[in-house]
Amino acid sequence: MSMMDQLRERAKKNKKTIILPESMDKRTFKAAQTILKDGLANLIIIGTPQEVEEYSKGFDITGATIIDPNTYEKTEEYEDLFVELRKSKGLTHEDARKQMLSDYTTYGCLMLKAGDADGLVSGACHSTANTLRPALQIIKTKPGTKLVSGFFVMEVPNCEFGENGVFVFADCSLEQNPDPEKLAAIALSSAESFKFLVGKEPKVAMLSHSSKGSAKHDDVTKVVEATRIAKELAPNLCLDGELQLDAAIVPEVGEAKAPGSPVAGHANVLVFPDLDAANIGYKLVQRLAKANAYGPMCQGIAKPVNDLSRGCSAEDIVGVVAITAIQAAGEDK
């Protein structure tokens, strides 16, 4: 059974209600058909009757709850909530309603904040900024969270590296150029996400173009400092750096470049030094190795809100919904 098959089974056992706000995209309805048929989650799809009719043609979405913000009985309640949450920013009722009715992700986040759903997945036809901005404005961060960051769950077929081909890559979507403190926070959050989702012990590699001092540069120093901070904050976590990618995942290379490292050659959580490297890295693996890339998932938001790549497939949406449902179930504990 693949990792995603295992995650789907977990989602089925504790069904949650997930919002899909992108009713203007056929991939939403193709994914919804699978999610409902397989019993992975209860679905709320936000859209007008005209939008739903146009884009759902050919797909069976029986069982989904369709909510039209223009006529839904709780729209006024959500409007009041929105104004209350943003009153310090001067948000008026007029502007609140205009934003809610024109931006279904904002509307969905208000539903989530009000407790009328358990999670939200968007991004198939919206940028990461347009997906996460309302989440951070309305739902806000989890108590005690220093940083909201993003990660991908990567499932590489026929791969002996990582956890039988399963990895977490971070941060592929949010932090452009994290300083050492932020990079350390990303590493710790990603380790927790790996353990929660995959159920195995994380082995975290802090990636660089250098392995254990093989190169000197300010970018290398940043990763070395981030490694030091992360080890201080989580001394029992299996984490090491700085490591080149091959030293991190290939046993014989790890032994040669970083002898004695508890991580080298066995890493399953890869923390990239910046957004450029992480985003390029996951897309290379996705396209060239034909890996399944689920995400970008978010860590640090008070309730599960997850992004999608605009190049995602309907099957990618199904996977992210399953993971979002599992995250929501974890929030209940």
Side-chain angles (χ1 to χ4, degrees), residues 276-294:
D276 286 337
N279 193 271
I280 292 166
Y282 102 77
K283 287 181 178 177
L284 274 172
V285 175
Q286 180 188 29
R287 300 301 180 181
L288 298 186
K290 298 186 179 353
N292 293 315
Y294 301 105

Side-chain angles (χ1 to χ4, degrees), residues 160-320:
E160 70 272 29
F161 304 129
E163 195 64 44
N164 295 318
V166 176
F167 298 86
V168 158
F169 284 18
D171 176 350
C172 306
S173 60
L174 291 176
E175 282 294 323
Q176 179 66 50
N177 190 16
D179 61 24
E181 289 77 14
K182 288 183 176 181
L183 200 57
I186 290 167
L188 300 188
S189 293
S190 300
E192 290 179 8
S193 294
F194 183 90
K195 188 169 185 177
F196 175 68
L197 291 173
V198 183
K200 302 291 185 179
E201 286 302 312
K203 300 178 182 67
V204 184
M206 308 296 284
L207 297 181
S208 173
H209 69 273
S210 169
S211 289
K212 296 297 183 179
S214 64
K216 303 294 182 184
H217 191 276
D218 288 346
D219 289 346
V220 177
T221 302
K222 179 180 83 168
V223 177
V224 171
E225 179 64 8
T227 302
R228 183 191 66 78
I229 294 169
K231 285 182 175 180
E232 283 187 0
L233 293 172
N236 296 322
L237 177 63
C238 188
L239 176 147
D240 202 11
E242 85 283 15
L243 293 170
Q244 293 165 298
L245 187 279
D246 56 355
I249 66 171
V250 182
E252 55 267 29
V253 178
E255 181 60 33
K257 292 187 175 183
S261 169
V263 172
H266 305 285
N268 49 31
V269 177
L270 304 181
V271 179
F272 292 78
D274 57 41
L275 182 57
D276 286 337
N279 193 271
I280 292 166
Y282 102 77
K283 287 181 178 177
L284 274 172
V285 175
Q286 180 188 29
R287 300 301 180 181
L288 298 186
K290 298 186 179 353
N292 293 315
Y294 301 105
M297 314 300 297
C298 296
Q299 43 199 10
I301 298 177
K303 291 189 176 184
V305 174
N306 287 312
D307 192 15
L308 295 161
S309 168
R310 279 173 286 177
C312 71
S313 66
E315 188 62 22
D316 293 333
I317 299 174
V318 174
V320 172

